[in-house]
Amino acid sequence: MTDDDLRTRLRRTDPAASLAPLPPGQVSRLLEETMTAGVATLPARRRLLLLLPVLAAAAAVLLLAGAGWLIFRPSDPVAILPQALPSAAPVRLTAAPGGNAKCREPQAAMLAANADYAFAGTVTTVGDLVTLRVSKVYRGPATTTVQVEKQPGSSETVMGSGTFEVGKGYLIAANEGTLLVCGYSGEADTPGLLSLYEQAF
Amino acid sequence: MTSDDRRQRFEALAPAVIDAIRRYLARRTDPATADDVLSETLLICWRRLDEMPGEHLPWAYGVARRCLANAERAHRRQERLAVRIAALDGFVVAPPEPADDELAAAMAGLRGEDAEILRLWAWEDLAPAQIAAVLGITANATSIRLHRAKQRLRDELRKTGAAAGHEESTEGRRP
């Protein structure tokens, strides 16, 4: 068997032979996300740490229950921690009473009234800590990086499509360290979310 | 280079990189991981645009290769798949036609690095110097390895062909 025959035979088994090209819209989105994520490369002067204990089961139920864009609330709170404060030990907030997963339709006024920290950012790394590069702070102290810490046993599933994904943009609001997820935080391209933020802040 | 120049350069070369890297990843991993690694690879290409050589595809394959190796070390794939199966789009690949079980078995019988150099040669359609850039080895070493890998594949094909008596085997392994 010649080299050419061998190559031809291998090519016939190429698993990507039938891969359709990415639609132009998705290519542009991918490019935009990439370049936006890469622009803000300032060193982090101040980091905020979000503790995000989300119950997998609750998230799964909500994923199923979510109509339109997903709105849900974890049964545990999320802590947003100014890490730069001297000797700030990680603060664990107590769980909010009840695990009610039903959410009312998000209102800009509610967001404006409740969020003490809100920002737009792109996920740069996902691991035990999810790191977001902040592209815009809507409310609260300026920062370049926010980290979300997943607690042991918590799910990777958080909001929007259900995960934090590297390169994706998110809009995130928090109140006293508690992440507002009941329709108030999610993927930046979740329909309606950006306009909600623009209305609120 | 101004930031506008940078953007323009990236916008000009990225679509070809996206297409090539999507294929590279579709051949080697599950759709969810492919999606993640594509984003990560692009981000690195964008940040290191100034280091990108004129022949940027092999360089980008090299980046994707390292990102994929990291991703596969870091993630428990099955769990992630279960969570994310609903979010998949665009990466789903139909099985190749017609299935060549004998070749699949022969490829599976090779050492990983031999199989990979053959994939880069046949699927990514790279010349030895380009494969060298992907793998970070010299062109000379690549030529030797590629030559040996082809020979080993022929040997494997002879073995599997003889074992199967040239009948269609039904339980083919995929590479």
Side-chain angles (χ1 to χ4, degrees):
Chain A
M1 189 181 280
T2 66
D3 276 12
D4 281 349
D5 293 341
L6 203 60
R7 177 130 81 163
T8 307
R9 188 164 174 189
L10 275 165
R11 277 186 186 148
R12 279 203 294 263
T13 65
D14 180 358
S18 59
L19 187 71
L22 208 58
Q26 280 192 45
V27 172
S28 331
R29 207 186 74 186
L30 203 52
L31 282 183
E32 203 44 52
E33 281 173 358
T34 303
M35 291 189 289
T36 324
V39 168
T41 46
L42 299 169
R45 278 178 308 179
R46 183 164 179 188
R47 303 204 305 181
L48 294 172
L49 186 69
L50 297 169
L51 294 177
L52 187 56
V54 180
L55 293 180
V61 165
L62 288 159
L63 273 173
L64 291 171
W69 54 297
L70 295 171
I71 45 173
F72 54 82
R73 164 166 61 194
S75 54
D76 290 329
V78 174
I80 187 167
L81 301 173
Q83 229 184 19
L85 291 180
S87 69
V91 176
R92 300 278 163 89
L93 299 183
T94 51
N100 189 353
K102 284 181 184 161
C103 294
R104 293 178 53 188
E105 196 184 340
Q107 307 288 334
M110 280 288 290
L111 183 58
N114 288 310
D116 55 17
Y117 193 69
F119 72 97
T122 304
V123 174
T124 53
T125 57
V126 173
D128 290 334
L129 275 178
V130 176
T131 305
L132 292 110
R133 187 182 311 287
V134 177
S135 54
K136 178 172 183 175
V137 174
Y138 287 92
R139 181 174 286 174
T143 187
T144 53
T145 309
V146 168
Q147 292 191 320
V148 175
E149 186 180 284
K150 286 181 290 180
Q151 297 206 320
S154 77
S155 166
E156 199 174 63
T157 302
V158 280
M159 61 191 126
S161 73
T163 51
F164 275 127
E165 289 183 50
V166 172
K168 269 202 175 159
Y170 292 83
L171 288 163
I172 291 174
N175 172 264
E176 292 182 354
T178 302
L179 197 69
L180 302 173
V181 293
C182 203
Y184 295 107
S185 295
E187 280 180 33
D189 59 2
T190 307
L193 193 55
L194 182 60
S195 60
L196 190 75
Y197 272 57
E198 281 167 351
Q199 253 181 286
F201 303 113
Chain B
M1 206 185 323
T2 69
S3 65
D4 274 356
D5 290 345
R6 250 179 84 84
R7 279 184 74 99
Q8 267 178 19
R9 183 172 174 222
F10 189 68
E11 279 168 355
L13 61 81
V17 171
I18 290 173
D19 190 59
I21 300 301
R22 282 178 76 236
R23 286 173 193 285
Y24 176 90
L25 294 169
R27 289 163 181 145
R28 289 166 177 82
T29 188
D30 63 85
T33 307
D35 209 359
D36 282 352
V37 174
L38 175 63
S39 296
E40 203 181 332
T41 303
L42 278 178
L43 200 56
I44 291 171
C45 289
W46 165 243
R47 289 198 178 136
R48 295 175 55 193
L49 191 60
D50 305 335
E51 301 165 37
M52 231 178 182
E55 196 176 37
H56 52 262
L57 275 188
W59 187 88
Y61 284 132
V63 173
R65 182 171 168 265
R66 287 187 294 276
C67 290
L68 180 59
N70 285 339
E72 293 194 325
R73 267 196 295 273
H75 297 309
R76 294 149 296 168
R77 250 197 286 178
Q78 294 310 317
E79 270 186 34
R80 296 173 62 248
L81 263 180
V83 172
R84 304 186 43 195
I85 204 83
L88 304 182
D89 57 11
F91 267 116
V92 178
V93 178
E97 291 242 20
D100 186 343
D101 294 333
E102 209 175 278
L103 180 64
M107 284 290 275
L110 295 181
R111 289 188 308 165
E113 61 187 67
D114 284 339
E116 181 58 13
I117 207 167
L118 289 170
R119 287 184 205 114
L120 288 167
W121 170 66
W123 290 352
E124 271 77 35
D125 202 14
L126 299 180
Q130 295 171 316
I131 296 174
V134 178
L135 299 177
I137 56 177
T138 66
N140 202 24
T142 306
S143 296
I144 296 166
R145 280 198 208 173
L146 180 59
H147 179 76
R148 286 184 186 154
K150 287 176 200 164
Q151 206 46 54
R152 287 184 185 125
L153 180 61
R154 286 190 189 97
D155 293 346
E156 283 291 328
L157 280 170
R158 260 194 296 276
K159 264 196 279 175
T160 52
H166 259 298
E167 279 172 40
E168 279 289 312
S169 62
T170 48
E171 293 297 314
R173 283 172 290 168
R174 291 261 154 74

